[in-house]
Amino acid sequence: FFFFQAEDGIRDFCLSRGLGDVYKRQLLQILNRLFFMLYWGFDNMVILCTIKFIKKDKAQYNRLGCTSWLLGLVIGLVINVRKMMNSYYEEMKIDNTLKHSTNETQNDTLRNKLNKIRHGRNEIYLNIVKTLGDMIAALNGSEIPQKLLNKSFNDGFVGVGGFLSAVITSYQLYKGGN
């Protein structure tokens, strides 16, 4: 983080936009996809154990798969929170520019950009809620509540999380098609 002073003398708080941020974002994306790939692999191992193609304990693969899923979801949550923070920063910059601008053509362009940022942030909020819903099932499957609380989440709680995630996903897919 650093402060900079613009030509108009206004000091502004700036999230670092250096090369390090690009690498952090790419690293988070790679880790996110890696954990989802591991989840997919372990989930397929569960299927192969279920149909008795492999003679192994499917519970262990299920636990590993859910743990991989959970880690992918946590990283996805971090990615979405970073996106949300950046959208607030971009909104702040545009608002500041609008306050000091007298060019109506530029102001219209900036207002349109501001609307796109706000719309994008609504999608980020939906993705965060969807991720939290999925995390309930992933936590339960990885047996973390059993280890920490000596009991697992009940099926109703897991079902509500999954239902919430499914409804948001359906809404996003429906909206994307229109």
Side-chain angles (χ1 to χ4, degrees):
F1 301 106
F2 64 91
F3 287 91
F4 70 93
Q5 189 162 347
E7 291 174 14
D8 59 4
I10 297 171
R11 288 181 179 240
D12 198 0
F13 177 71
C14 179
L15 294 172
S16 173
R17 300 279 185 225
L19 196 54
D21 275 359
V22 173
Y23 289 138
K24 287 177 202 170
R25 187 174 57 245
Q26 288 175 341
L27 178 64
L28 287 171
Q29 290 289 343
I30 289 168
L31 288 172
N32 181 264
R33 291 174 188 197
L34 174 70
F35 284 118
F36 279 112
M37 182 187 72
L38 287 171
Y39 164 65
W40 178 83
F42 288 127
D43 196 46
N44 279 294
M45 293 299 288
V46 169
I47 293 168
L48 292 173
C49 290
T50 301
I51 63 171
K52 308 237 187 302
F53 188 78
I54 297 176
K55 308 283 191 234
K56 299 273 184 177
D57 180 24
K58 72 178 181 178
Q60 178 184 359
Y61 288 120
N62 187 54
R63 192 171 37 260
L64 289 169
C66 287
T67 302
S68 298
W69 183 26
L70 178 62
L71 290 171
L73 291 169
V74 168
I75 292 170
L77 192 61
V78 169
I79 290 168
N80 279 306
V81 168
R82 286 175 55 99
K83 283 181 183 177
M84 184 173 47
M85 289 172 51
N86 286 333
S87 76
Y88 278 115
Y89 172 73
E90 291 298 321
E91 181 180 14
M92 181 180 71
K93 279 187 358 185
I94 292 171
D95 279 340
N96 192 30
T97 304
L98 281 170
K99 286 177 189 173
H100 302 292
S101 175
T102 57
N103 182 338
E104 278 307 310
T105 305
Q106 179 188 14
N107 289 351
D108 288 341
T109 303
L110 290 172
R111 283 187 201 97
N112 286 337
K113 189 173 181 182
L114 201 55
N115 285 334
K116 287 180 184 177
I117 289 170
R118 289 176 178 154
H119 175 75
R121 194 165 44 239
N122 288 338
E123 287 299 310
I124 295 169
Y125 285 135
L126 288 174
N127 288 335
I128 288 172
V129 172
K130 181 171 60 172
T131 299
L132 292 173
D134 281 339
M135 285 176 82
I136 296 168
L139 276 165
N140 212 40
S142 63
E143 299 179 359
I144 291 174
Q146 295 88 321
K147 292 174 185 167
L148 296 177
L149 307 172
N150 291 326
K151 64 179 185 176
S152 60
F153 296 143
N154 69 36
D155 290 342
F157 187 58
V158 174
V160 166
F163 181 74
L164 180 65
S165 176
V167 167
I168 292 172
T169 300
S170 297
Y171 168 75
Q172 288 174 322
L173 290 171
Y174 174 76
K175 194 174 69 170
N178 288 330

